[in-house]
Amino acid sequence: MDVESSKNIVVPSSVRGHQIFVVDPNTTSLMHTAAILEEHYYKVTTIELPTIALSMILERESQYDLVIAEVNMQEMDGFTFLKHILRQKNIPIILISDKANVEISKRALDEGACFFWRKPLRVNDLINVWQHIICNKVKENAQKVNKGAVGGPKKGRVDELGLQYSSPMLSDASILKNTDKTEMMRSQIAELVQKCETYDANFAKIEKFMKKHMAQISDDDKSTKSYKD
């Protein structure tokens, strides 16, 4: 992991405290991943055994924000672990492995993982894992509004990331029972979409800018927030 290149990355204050669940039978890898995440204000739960991890995730009332799981595990491989969770929970899951190739990466995405990382994990990827959480929330909220439209998904389709609309959400607003609520949800979705797209488009520029001007940036949260905005 390139620690030096990660020093100037700032996790937005609005996404700090997200709960990340890490499953990895390699204790050294598990602890190192957790240390990086905790250093950047994430709340982390770590487990080496996938069966125990699965029980904890499925039985928990309040949902974890994201799961990072190793593909190669003895009790249960990462793909089986992924399927069990996605049957009951809508949680973004990132699969990881040091035995990575194109086929494994493609299978991970095809079976529902939001991303696939090859070990050793990059520090930058771990720090910016909040982006996957935001995108999942965008998708979830878009689907809720989409179902509220008369005629269901055909009236307003959302792509696989939930980031683009190919047609108007409503063909006739007068036949919607709760227009105000729907409009409020659509407004929230638009805000999330804008944030997600802005972070993805400008992240490289922001990182380059901050490296150049880091000496001028105050360490307090207020100043950090002003540069982030």
Side-chain angles (χ1 to χ4, degrees):
M1 297 186 186
D2 186 358
V3 178
E4 286 298 322
S5 65
S6 69
K7 288 184 177 179
N8 297 332
I9 299 178
V10 177
V11 175
S13 58
S14 60
V15 298
R16 295 178 182 181
H18 277 111
Q19 300 189 63
I20 312 296
F21 199 110
V22 185
V23 190
D24 191 339
N26 185 317
T27 305
T28 302
S29 174
L30 182 69
M31 293 299 101
H32 191 49
T33 299
I36 297 295
L37 292 170
E38 289 173 344
E39 182 181 350
H40 291 86
Y41 309 103
Y42 294 102
K43 294 181 179 179
V44 185
T45 300
T46 58
I47 292 291
E48 296 180 11
L49 300 177
T51 50
I52 296 177
L54 185 63
S55 297
M56 292 177 65
I57 292 170
L58 296 182
E59 293 174 5
R60 181 186 172 99
E61 270 189 41
S62 58
Q63 187 165 288
Y64 290 99
D65 295 299
L66 183 136
V67 176
I68 300 173
E70 167 67 63
V71 170
N72 304 297
M73 299 184 287
Q74 292 185 353
E75 290 187 338
M76 180 189 302
D77 66 75
F79 297 110
T80 303
F81 181 78
L82 174 75
K83 290 178 182 178
H84 280 302
I85 294 177
L86 294 183
R87 283 174 186 167
Q88 301 185 46
K89 299 275 189 177
N90 178 27
I91 305 177
I93 302 172
I94 296 174
L95 293 182
I96 60 176
S97 177
D98 57 359
K99 299 177 181 178
N101 55 46
V102 175
E103 291 183 3
I104 293 178
S105 302
K106 186 177 184 301
R107 182 184 175 188
L109 298 177
D110 288 344
E111 296 195 12
C114 70
F115 221 82
F116 179 85
W117 289 341
R118 181 173 183 172
K119 287 182 173 179
L121 305 183
R122 298 194 310 167
V123 176
N124 290 8
D125 289 336
L126 289 169
I127 297 174
N128 292 310
V129 75
W130 58 268
Q131 294 179 357
H132 296 285
I133 299 172
I134 292 292
C135 286
N136 187 69
K137 289 180 178 180
V138 169
K139 179 180 177 181
E140 185 177 18
N141 288 335
Q143 289 174 340
K144 288 179 181 179
V145 173
N146 199 35
K147 290 179 181 179
V150 175
K154 293 182 180 179
K155 293 297 181 181
R157 296 187 303 172
V158 180
D159 70 5
E160 66 271 14
L161 292 179
L163 296 178
Q164 297 179 356
Y165 299 91
S166 59
S167 61
M169 194 64 69
L170 301 174
S171 58
D172 185 357
S174 64
I175 59 176
L176 195 63
K177 292 182 179 180
N178 197 340
T179 302
D180 290 340
K181 182 177 179 180
T182 301
E183 289 302 318
M184 179 183 68
M185 292 179 69
R186 290 173 67 185
S187 177
Q188 293 173 343
I189 289 170
E191 183 180 353
L192 282 170
V193 168
Q194 185 178 16
K195 287 181 179 180
C196 193
E197 291 179 341
T198 299
Y199 288 135
D200 287 342
N202 297 330
F203 179 76
K205 294 180 181 179
I206 294 173
E207 183 178 11
K208 183 177 180 181
F209 177 86
M210 292 189 67
K211 284 180 180 179
K212 183 178 179 180
H213 298 279
M214 198 63 188
Q216 303 172 21
I217 300 175
S218 170
D219 291 332
D220 58 72
D221 290 341
K222 183 177 181 181
S223 179
T224 299
K225 185 177 184 299
S226 70
Y227 271 87
K228 180 206 67 162
D229 295 338

